[in-house]
Amino acid sequence: MSPILIAFALSACMQDGAVTEPASDAPATSETPIASGERIAFSLEPCFGFCPDFELEIDGSGRGTYDGQNFVLQRGRHDFSASAEEVAAFAERLAPFRPAQDTSYGYDNCDVPVYTDAPSVRITWFGEDGNRTELNWYLGCRQPGLVEHEGTITEAWEELPIGHLVGSDEDRASYRDR
């Protein structure tokens, strides 16, 4: 099955903003699931603790930028390159959660009670045609269909070669004064 058909089929998991379980038997592809003219922007946004706060953007050719804000080993903007396999792994982890239209889950749009002091994750898919689709999820909203896959989503960045920029969770508190 082509990467475009896989992405289309997986986007059907989220209709009208409703999130469903991704297909666990979805076939993996060895091709990069985003074309060189497409991009994915990913950010982990702050909480009231030691949550890593950074943004990254990567295109299908593997060119990326990282911008560290707080509780990360390296602050500021850094360019990086990722292999086709790394880009594919990152994009494939996120593909099942790509909504058909911009979707936000937080205080105003959550199917369950929301708690405070949590970070957010924001993922934006930019197509070659200029269209974009965004998932913005405040993790205090324990949204069914997403919460069961929180680590899959929030740790997708670990597929990319930026660990030396983000740093380790064990040292997160010591990054405050950097």
Side-chain angles (χ1 to χ4, degrees):
M1 188 182 291
S2 79
I4 294 171
L5 290 175
I6 291 171
F8 179 75
L10 292 173
S11 70
C13 292
M14 303 175 86
Q15 295 297 318
D16 299 320
V19 180
T20 60
E21 295 276 333
S24 60
D25 59 346
T29 177
S30 61
E31 298 178 53
T32 303
I34 61 174
S36 62
E38 296 179 326
R39 299 174 287 134
I40 298 175
F42 177 96
S43 65
L44 287 177
E45 299 172 353
C47 67
F48 290 110
F50 302 119
C51 303
D53 176 12
F54 67 90
E55 300 173 0
L56 70 85
E57 188 169 309
I58 188 135
D59 66 22
S61 70
R63 288 186 309 262
T65 57
Y66 160 93
D67 189 8
Q69 302 298 316
N70 292 300
F71 301 108
V72 292
L73 183 58
Q74 296 294 318
R75 289 186 181 191
R77 183 187 158 112
H78 301 269
D79 293 330
F80 68 93
S81 295
S83 70
E85 293 79 17
E86 290 166 328
V87 174
F90 175 68
E92 286 171 2
R93 272 183 78 160
L94 297 174
F97 308 101
R98 184 177 186 169
Q101 60 191 22
D102 287 355
T103 303
S104 181
Y105 294 104
Y107 289 99
D108 296 333
N109 181 21
C110 190
D111 294 338
V112 295
V114 178
Y115 69 87
T116 60
D117 301 341
S120 295
V121 62
R122 182 183 309 263
I123 307 158
T124 308
W125 291 265
F126 298 92
E128 286 183 296
D129 58 3
N131 289 327
R132 60 179 281 290
T133 306
E134 182 174 275
L135 172 64
N136 182 11
W137 177 30
Y138 170 67
L139 276 64
C141 168
R142 308 306 288 164
Q143 183 65 31
L146 289 178
V147 71
E148 300 85 0
H149 306 283
E150 181 176 340
T152 300
I153 298 168
T154 61
E155 297 166 8
W157 65 268
E158 293 177 357
E159 301 291 349
L160 299 172
I162 61 169
H164 66 288
L165 300 170
V166 178
S168 68
D169 286 339
E170 295 81 22
D171 296 326
R172 197 74 52 217
S174 70
Y175 301 150
R176 173 186 317 178
D177 298 324
R178 292 185 182 259

